[in-house]
Amino acid sequence: MKLKQIAQRLGLDLTGDGELEIAGPAPIEAATTGSIVFVSGPRYAGELESTCAAAVIVTAELAPRARCAVLISNDPAFDFARVLELFHPPYRPDPGIDHNASIANDAEIGEGAFIGAFTVIGAGVAIGRNAVIHPHVTIYPGAKIGDDFICHSHVSIREQVTIGNRVTILNGAVIGADGFGFVQRGNDLVKVPQVGTVIIEDEVEIGANTTVDRATMGATILRRGVKLDNLVHIGHNCEIGEYSRFAAQAGLAGSTKIGKWCQFGGQTGCADHAKIGDRVMVVAQSGIPHDVPENSVIGGTPAMDIRAWRRSSALAPRLPELARRIRALETRTGIRSDSKSE
Amino acid sequence: MKLKQIAQRLGLDLTGDGELEIAGPAPIEAATTGSIVFVSGPRYAGELESTCAAAVIVTAELAPRARCAVLISNDPAFDFARVLELFHPPYRPDPGIDHNASIANDAEIGEGAFIGAFTVIGAGVAIGRNAVIHPHVTIYPGAKIGDDFICHSHVSIREQVTIGNRVTILNGAVIGADGFGFVQRGNDLVKVPQVGTVIIEDEVEIGANTTVDRATMGATILRRGVKLDNLVHIGHNCEIGEYSRFAAQAGLAGSTKIGKWCQFGGQTGCADHAKIGDRVMVVAQSGIPHDVPENSVIGGTPAMDIRAWRRSSALAPRLPELARRIRALETRTGIRSDSKSE
Amino acid sequence: MKLKQIAQRLGLDLTGDGELEIAGPAPIEAATTGSIVFVSGPRYAGELESTCAAAVIVTAELAPRARCAVLISNDPAFDFARVLELFHPPYRPDPGIDHNASIANDAEIGEGAFIGAFTVIGAGVAIGRNAVIHPHVTIYPGAKIGDDFICHSHVSIREQVTIGNRVTILNGAVIGADGFGFVQRGNDLVKVPQVGTVIIEDEVEIGANTTVDRATMGATILRRGVKLDNLVHIGHNCEIGEYSRFAAQAGLAGSTKIGKWCQFGGQTGCADHAKIGDRVMVVAQSGIPHDVPENSVIGGTPAMDIRAWRRSSALAPRLPELARRIRALETRTGIRSDSKSE
């Protein structure tokens, strides 16, 4: 593709030779002579001067530092994502229903759907238009799903779950399995029936082998634009606000309420019934035992303010030294508290 | 359903208007005028006086505080679970074997079974009565399974695994995959054949996408009533005592022995070969490096007594302050130990 | 099997009665009178004198301490693994393609393959010789796979993924799902197309329900001999060096580079773009925020040298005591820094 064609498709101003043949997009550190790359901020501006790429997508401000052709963008990361799509249209099977799919007679499936081999669609299921449902998906009876659904192999969608438009679910995820609830009854544990459901709003993406449990009563809710990475666990009755993101292996215990635009790092956890405000950011592996006000940036287990956590964790390796210094003070002053000595 | 019908079905004494029409169960904080709710202890007793619910299940002791109709119960949480079931009978397909299931000729399947589309049941498998096996389950050859088995879609049950009565396995769980064992042999890693199995006793429930590995030799054992949440990992040769519970994303390394009635929080881990006594409770995200005596309540990584952990973790954010105070003492007294200064 | 037959099959020297009938291998702590066991080092040598086993595999050095028949081995753990295989040949279905498999017309499958019921093999897929592909596997179009592939039920292998020879993938693993990448665009999150792939070299083993994401651009790479346990997450664009091992529930964020022969404990995590040298060992539950030099042994979150971590974590429960001792020094000397008091 010629550079001028890319500029035209993206609607971006071009500086340099539009006739350049572009081989494809690349990360700037792996660029070759035919690559188009992007630079999103001053941190990488130095590479503008040394890259061998054919062209770079960059802001007007940084553009003068580039030694190659330039596409001027207000949002280089976004426009680069569009270049990725130009060169690599996503894999999408043609519409059609595999003769090996098992679809209930009363299931309603909108026009334009692809449904793969061995997929099972239960009684009373309704699915909107343009669905792409790969092989080996199981949709239990009564689930309702919107338009433009993309669902990869081995996903389970349990009974009565509701899913909005433009939702993507990656391989092996489980939506609406029973929440984890038991009551002790003498020498027995009795299961609390999990009679609620899951509601997933528009434009949610759910990662591979992630689990979102149905509510005990009511609904577990993922609001518009929520993104879950792989192997995430969302407990029963949680509610996650719009556009919040959870990195891999994060987990929420039951009845947690998460605000909008939060970012949870990998392997983070949050206690049941905690309320987390909007735009909270959580460092990887942190554990949140209680409510957190909006706009907080937190880390550690139990989680604390990020600055306190950085200072505290920097001192952790020095605990033995601090203990020695206390002992030296005690020895030299002759002052010893009643605590047992080391 | 009228309140008096509920009282009759549950065998509970009723105070108030038995003719009340009950719309359904609800958590007390979300009750509406037709709801039946429960209060399990004094902590929520205040809500008894303000709830708009039609009826409440409560102990005799707290009953006088309620301003609505009352069902008297020795165990309100248990009786409320039964109300949930009354109003929402669990989804259970009618018996019958889907013509798209693939069942070995010599597999024995007890009466009353439902077997869903595309489920695979291997040679020599035996399954008891009243099984509900959803679509897309794979049961490898030689597995033996008791009565009243409930198995959701995409579960894998590996060869020769033994499963008791009234066991429930949620979607995507894997029972009996190879344990993780390799020996270094020069510049190679050689797999240790995992020739053992998994034994699951009666009334176990296993969560979505959880993995229980087969033993290297012998058996990985889940005793009666064990409950595993989602995405839990149980390593080869572990043995979990009766009625112990593991919240989501907890993990046990190999050959761990867990007592009865333990409760492991979410994202907890336990080292290989550790022995954990009965009734041990483990705070979420804790890591257990060694044996733990019965009745312990522990937290932290490495796990310690819960009181020590609470005090210690409360001080963690104040480490920088403690370090400053040590330095001030050193400066003012002129005493410095030979440790390098800050 | 007679002991002399085992000695012959393994090529080991025998001391004692070769006519002994061996019932099977066992761990030394569970040996019975017909067992063959092994002892790998001096730590277990005491058991050589008390075991009731019929025979033991042991080094020449320790052999004199055994009170039973002995097979002399330079590498007892390795030779014992071979005994396990002698007595328990792995379950391996006979070659043949189930008539319920769904295989694209242009897929190339080498000789000797077993392909189970309902497995789906997409257009353009190529698979080498002697594959064992259990039921309910989905291989998306364009994947290329080498010889001696073993793939268990419910595995998803996404489009264009490349897999080498002698690779084993356990149940439910997902290879090549989209990496987790979104860019904020006003009040929206836009998905970054994940147009890269996954490359898995020879002799890799991947555990149950583990996820290995495809690269944003380029490839996520698992080098020869890498072993991943269950529920592990490997983010987009990671590269893992030869023979590195990851225990269950470990996770790597995006673009992490791991050296050769590393060992990551269970539930460990590593930040994006970190570079970890060869032969690094990581204690379970540790979190690695940055680069780590080769041969390091590290623990904690954030991870530090193992000795510092051991000393530091031993002091963690004593933080309250240290705080008291500081206060006592302050009180008795009359020195107080300007920090707020406890």
Side-chain angles (χ1 to χ4, degrees):
Chain A
M1 205 176 299
K2 286 186 194 303
L3 183 57
K4 67 180 183 186
Q5 293 173 301
I6 300 172
Q8 189 175 16
R9 296 281 281 277
L10 272 57
L12 299 182
D13 287 339
L14 160 66
T15 305
D17 179 6
E19 298 299 322
L20 275 170
E21 196 67 39
I22 302 296
I28 195 162
E29 69 275 14
T32 57
T33 52
S35 300
I36 183 168
V37 301
F38 81 106
V39 166
S40 59
R43 183 170 159 201
Y44 297 101
E47 304 197 45
L48 280 175
E49 296 165 11
S50 59
T51 183
C52 66
V56 60
I57 304 177
V58 71
T59 57
E61 186 186 13
L62 291 176
R65 297 181 60 177
R67 295 175 55 189
C68 61
V70 163
L71 299 183
I72 307 289
S73 165
N74 290 325
D75 190 344
F78 170 74
D79 283 312
F80 188 72
R82 293 162 69 203
V83 172
L84 286 172
E85 208 158 51
L86 272 185
F87 278 86
H88 304 276
Y91 164 63
R92 184 187 172 96
D94 293 332
I97 296 183
D98 194 285
H99 68 280
N100 281 318
S102 172
I103 302 179
N105 290 329
D106 65 348
E108 294 172 22
I109 297 173
E111 62 187 30
F114 165 81
I115 298 183
F118 311 123
T119 275
V120 174
I121 298 183
V125 169
I127 302 175
R129 305 198 303 177
N130 300 322
V132 174
I133 304 181
H134 288 272
H136 286 282
V137 169
T138 305
I139 304 180
Y140 281 56
K144 307 295 178 196
I145 301 172
D147 296 336
D148 301 306
F149 184 48
I150 298 177
C151 187
H152 281 278
S153 62
H154 301 109
V155 165
S156 294
I157 297 172
R158 292 281 302 268
E159 62 275 14
Q160 309 299 339
V161 162
T162 299
I163 295 178
N165 299 311
R166 297 175 300 286
V167 167
T168 295
I169 306 183
L170 302 184
N171 312 71
V174 177
I175 313 300
D178 294 0
F180 191 66
F182 301 88
V183 292
Q184 189 170 348
R185 172 75 173 171
N187 287 319
D188 196 10
L189 286 173
V190 177
K191 182 179 173 89
V192 178
Q194 303 291 307
V195 307
T197 188
V198 175
I199 297 172
I200 295 178
E201 295 189 350
D202 297 347
E203 288 166 16
V204 167
E205 179 159 331
I206 294 177
N209 286 347
T210 279
T211 64
V212 180
D213 278 359
R214 67 193 311 115
T216 308
M217 293 173 277
T220 303
I221 303 175
L222 308 191
R223 298 285 178 204
R224 168 189 282 266
V226 164
K227 314 294 182 192
L228 307 181
D229 198 352
N230 299 345
L231 295 165
V232 169
H233 169 71
I234 306 298
H236 61 83
N237 293 85
C238 288
E239 179 176 342
I240 305 182
E242 293 181 6
Y243 296 100
S244 284
R245 280 171 273 181
F246 288 73
Q249 298 172 321
L252 298 184
S255 300
T256 312
K257 300 275 180 276
I258 309 292
K260 304 174 186 179
W261 290 97
C262 292
Q263 292 190 51
F264 278 65
Q267 301 179 334
T268 48
C270 187
D272 59 288
H273 292 86
K275 288 183 176 55
I276 311 300
D278 296 341
R279 292 171 300 281
V280 168
M281 302 192 56
V282 187
V283 171
Q285 288 196 331
S286 302
I288 306 177
H290 45 49
D291 296 358
V292 176
E294 61 181 9
N295 299 312
S296 303
V297 182
I298 57 178
T301 300
M304 61 192 86
D305 175 79
I306 182 76
R307 287 155 302 189
W309 179 71
R310 286 210 180 109
R311 284 192 296 256
S312 167
S313 55
L315 281 170
R318 292 179 49 203
L319 269 180
E321 175 207 321
L322 297 178
R324 273 197 308 274
R325 288 162 63 190
I326 293 170
R327 196 172 46 221
L329 285 159
E330 290 172 333
T331 304
R332 297 275 297 278
T333 60
I335 298 168
R336 293 192 77 84
S337 61
D338 52 1
S339 301
K340 70 177 189 301
S341 68
E342 284 171 76
Chain B
M1 203 177 299
K2 286 185 194 302
L3 184 56
K4 67 180 183 186
Q5 293 173 302
I6 299 173
Q8 190 174 16
R9 296 281 282 276
L10 271 58
L12 298 182
D13 287 338
L14 160 66
T15 306
D17 180 5
E19 298 299 320
L20 275 169
E21 196 66 39
I22 302 297
I28 195 163
E29 69 274 14
T32 57
T33 52
S35 299
I36 182 168
V37 302
F38 81 107
V39 166
S40 59
R43 184 172 158 200
Y44 297 100
E47 304 197 44
L48 279 174
E49 296 164 12
S50 61
T51 183
C52 65
V56 61
I57 304 176
V58 71
T59 58
E61 186 185 13
L62 291 176
R65 298 181 60 176
R67 296 176 55 188
C68 61
V70 163
L71 300 184
I72 307 288
S73 165
N74 291 325
D75 191 343
F78 169 74
D79 284 312
F80 188 73
R82 294 162 67 203
V83 172
L84 285 172
E85 208 158 49
L86 272 184
F87 279 85
H88 304 275
Y91 164 63
R92 185 185 170 97
D94 293 331
I97 296 183
D98 194 285
H99 68 280
N100 281 317
S102 172
I103 302 179
N105 291 329
D106 66 348
E108 294 172 22
I109 298 173
E111 61 187 29
F114 164 80
I115 298 183
F118 311 123
T119 274
V120 174
I121 298 183
V125 169
I127 302 175
R129 304 198 305 177
N130 300 322
V132 174
I133 304 181
H134 287 271
H136 286 151
V137 168
T138 305
I139 304 181
Y140 281 57
K144 306 296 178 195
I145 301 171
D147 295 336
D148 301 306
F149 184 48
I150 298 177
C151 187
H152 281 277
S153 62
H154 301 109
V155 165
S156 294
I157 297 172
R158 292 282 301 267
E159 63 274 14
Q160 309 299 338
V161 163
T162 299
I163 295 178
N165 299 311
R166 297 175 300 286
V167 167
T168 296
I169 306 183
L170 302 183
N171 313 70
V174 178
I175 313 301
D178 294 0
F180 191 66
F182 300 88
V183 291
Q184 188 170 350
R185 173 75 173 172
N187 287 318
D188 195 11
L189 286 173
V190 177
K191 182 179 174 89
V192 178
Q194 301 292 308
V195 308
T197 188
V198 175
I199 298 172
I200 295 178
E201 295 189 349
D202 296 348
E203 288 166 14
V204 167
E205 180 159 330
I206 294 177
N209 286 348
T210 279
T211 63
V212 180
D213 277 359
R214 68 194 310 115
T216 308
M217 292 172 278
T220 304
I221 304 175
L222 309 190
R223 297 286 178 204
R224 167 188 283 265
V226 164
K227 314 293 182 191
L228 306 182
D229 198 351
N230 299 345
L231 294 166
V232 169
H233 170 72
I234 306 298
H236 61 82
N237 293 85
C238 288
E239 179 176 342
I240 305 182
E242 293 182 5
Y243 295 100
S244 284
R245 279 170 274 182
F246 288 74
Q249 298 171 321
L252 298 184
S255 301
T256 312
K257 300 277 179 274
I258 309 291
K260 304 175 185 179
W261 290 97
C262 293
Q263 291 190 52
F264 278 66
Q267 300 179 334
T268 48
C270 188
D272 58 287
H273 293 86
K275 288 184 174 54
I276 311 300
D278 296 342
R279 293 172 300 281
V280 168
M281 302 191 58
V282 187
V283 171
Q285 288 196 332
S286 302
I288 306 176
H290 44 49
D291 295 359
V292 176
E294 62 181 11
N295 298 313
S296 303
V297 182
I298 56 177
T301 301
M304 61 191 85
D305 175 79
I306 182 76
R307 287 155 301 188
W309 178 71
R310 284 209 181 112
R311 285 191 296 255
S312 168
S313 55
L315 280 170
R318 292 178 49 202
L319 268 181
E321 175 207 320
L322 297 178
R324 273 197 307 275
R325 287 162 63 190
I326 293 169
R327 196 173 47 220
L329 284 160
E330 290 172 334
T331 304
R332 297 275 298 276
T333 61
I335 298 168
R336 293 192 77 83
S337 60
D338 52 0
S339 301
K340 70 177 191 300
S341 68
E342 283 171 76
Chain C
M1 205 177 299
K2 286 186 195 303
L3 183 58
K4 68 180 182 186
Q5 293 174 302
I6 299 173
Q8 189 174 17
R9 295 281 281 276
L10 272 58
L12 299 182
D13 286 338
L14 161 66
T15 306
D17 180 4
E19 298 299 320
L20 275 170
E21 196 67 39
I22 302 296
I28 195 162
E29 69 274 14
T32 57
T33 52
S35 299
I36 182 167
V37 302
F38 82 106
V39 166
S40 59
R43 184 171 158 201
Y44 298 101
E47 303 197 45
L48 279 175
E49 294 164 11
S50 60
T51 183
C52 65
V56 61
I57 304 176
V58 71
T59 57
E61 185 186 14
L62 291 176
R65 298 180 60 176
R67 297 176 54 189
C68 60
V70 163
L71 299 184
I72 307 288
S73 165
N74 291 325
D75 190 345
F78 170 74
D79 284 312
F80 187 73
R82 293 163 69 202
V83 172
L84 286 172
E85 207 158 50
L86 272 184
F87 279 85
H88 304 275
Y91 164 62
R92 185 186 171 96
D94 293 332
I97 296 183
D98 193 286
H99 68 281
N100 281 317
S102 172
I103 302 179
N105 290 329
D106 66 348
E108 293 172 23
I109 298 173
E111 61 187 30
F114 164 79
I115 297 183
F118 310 123
T119 275
V120 174
I121 298 183
V125 168
I127 302 175
R129 305 199 304 176
N130 300 323
V132 173
I133 303 182
H134 288 271
H136 285 153
V137 169
T138 305
I139 304 181
Y140 281 56
K144 307 295 178 197
I145 301 172
D147 295 336
D148 301 306
F149 184 49
I150 298 177
C151 187
H152 281 277
S153 63
H154 301 108
V155 165
S156 295
I157 297 172
R158 291 281 302 267
E159 63 275 14
Q160 309 298 338
V161 162
T162 299
I163 295 178
N165 299 312
R166 297 175 301 286
V167 167
T168 295
I169 306 183
L170 302 183
N171 312 72
V174 177
I175 313 301
D178 295 358
F180 191 66
F182 299 89
V183 291
Q184 187 170 350
R185 172 76 173 171
N187 287 319
D188 195 11
L189 286 173
V190 177
K191 183 179 173 89
V192 178
Q194 302 291 307
V195 307
T197 188
V198 175
I199 297 172
I200 295 178
E201 294 190 350
D202 296 347
E203 288 166 15
V204 167
E205 179 159 331
I206 294 177
N209 286 348
T210 279
T211 62
V212 180
D213 278 359
R214 66 193 312 114
T216 308
M217 292 171 279
T220 303
I221 303 174
L222 309 191
R223 296 286 178 204
R224 168 189 281 266
V226 165
K227 314 293 182 192
L228 307 182
D229 199 351
N230 299 344
L231 295 166
V232 169
H233 170 70
I234 306 298
H236 60 83
N237 293 84
C238 289
E239 179 176 341
I240 305 183
E242 292 182 7
Y243 296 100
S244 284
R245 279 171 273 182
F246 288 74
Q249 298 171 320
L252 297 184
S255 300
T256 312
K257 300 276 179 273
I258 309 291
K260 303 174 186 179
W261 290 99
C262 292
Q263 292 190 52
F264 278 65
Q267 300 178 334
T268 48
C270 188
D272 58 288
H273 293 85
K275 287 184 176 54
I276 311 300
D278 296 342
R279 292 172 301 279
V280 168
M281 302 192 56
V282 187
V283 171
Q285 288 196 330
S286 302
I288 307 176
H290 44 50
D291 295 358
V292 175
E294 62 181 10
N295 299 313
S296 303
V297 182
I298 57 177
T301 302
M304 61 192 86
D305 176 78
I306 183 74
R307 286 155 302 188
W309 178 72
R310 286 209 180 111
R311 285 192 295 255
S312 168
S313 55
L315 281 170
R318 292 180 50 204
L319 268 181
E321 175 207 320
L322 296 179
R324 274 197 307 275
R325 287 162 63 189
I326 293 169
R327 196 172 47 221
L329 284 161
E330 290 172 334
T331 304
R332 298 276 296 279
T333 60
I335 298 169
R336 292 192 78 83
S337 61
D338 52 1
S339 301
K340 70 177 192 300
S341 68
E342 285 172 77

